[in-house]
Amino acid sequence: TITLTTTIYRWIPSIIKFLQNKGYFKTYYTITDEIETETKDLRHVIVIGYGPVGKTISKILLQKQINVTVIEMNIDTVKKIKLQNIKELRAIYGDASQREILIISAIETAEAIVISTPFAPAKEITEIAKSLNSRIKILVHTTYSKSAKELRKQDSNLIIRSGEGSVALALAKEVFTIYGSTNFEEDIDKIYKELL
C-alpha cells in the first residue's frame, strides 16, 4: 500500500491535467463569475503571460488597434490590467494549458496566440489551441535555441523566437549595417532558419 500510494500520488497531477484537457473537469479561473463573452465576436490576439515581453507585445498591438486578450497566472497583474479599463485589452486569470481557459479567451475567433513567457508549457498549449482553432497562428518565445529546435520538430508551422537567437541576430544585423550589406534581412532570415 505504501509503495502504491507513493506511485499513484506522483501521477495524480498528470492524470488530472489529462482529464481536464479532455473536458472532464470544468475549472474556471476568472476573478468574477462573469465570462468575457464580449470577446466572442471580436478578432483578437491572445497573449499568454504579461511579463516584460507580453506587456510590450500587448502595447504594440493596442497601438495598431488590435484587440488583445491576456491570459495571466498572477492575479494581481490581472487586476491591474482590468483597472486600466482599456476596452481593447482584456485579462483572464488562469492557466493557458487548460482547455476551458482558452475557450473563455474566445480562441475560436482569435487570429493568433503569442506564448510570450518561456515558462509556459508551449507544447501543451499548442496542441489544445490547434484543436480549438485549426487556423490560428501560434508564436512562441523561448529562452534557448535548443528549446526552439525541439518545438520546431513538434510543429513546423510554429513561429518561434528564442532569446539567444534573437539577440544574436539583432547584433548581427547591426554588424551587417556597418559593412553596408544591402540584403541583410534575407541573410538573417536564412541564418535563423538554419539555427532552428
Side-chain angles (χ1 to χ4, degrees), residues 1 14 47 63 84 168 186:
T1 307
S14 300
V47 176
Q63 285 175 353
Q84 291 177 44
E186 190 179 307

Side-chain angles (χ1 to χ4, degrees), residues 43-45 55-68 86 88-89 111:
R43 292 177 62 188
H44 63 289
V45 172
K55 195 172 188 176
T56 304
I57 291 169
S58 298
K59 188 175 181 180
I60 293 166
L61 295 175
L62 290 168
Q63 285 175 353
K64 295 292 180 184
Q65 283 81 49
I66 297 171
N67 293 293
V68 176
I86 300 170
E88 297 79 15
L89 178 64
E111 298 293 318

Side-chain angles (χ1 to χ4, degrees), residues 119-136:
F119 305 111
K123 185 177 183 290
E124 290 176 35
I125 295 168
T126 300
E127 287 171 359
I128 299 166
K130 284 283 186 186
S131 74
L132 294 170
N133 180 345
S134 58
R135 63 174 181 75
I136 198 165

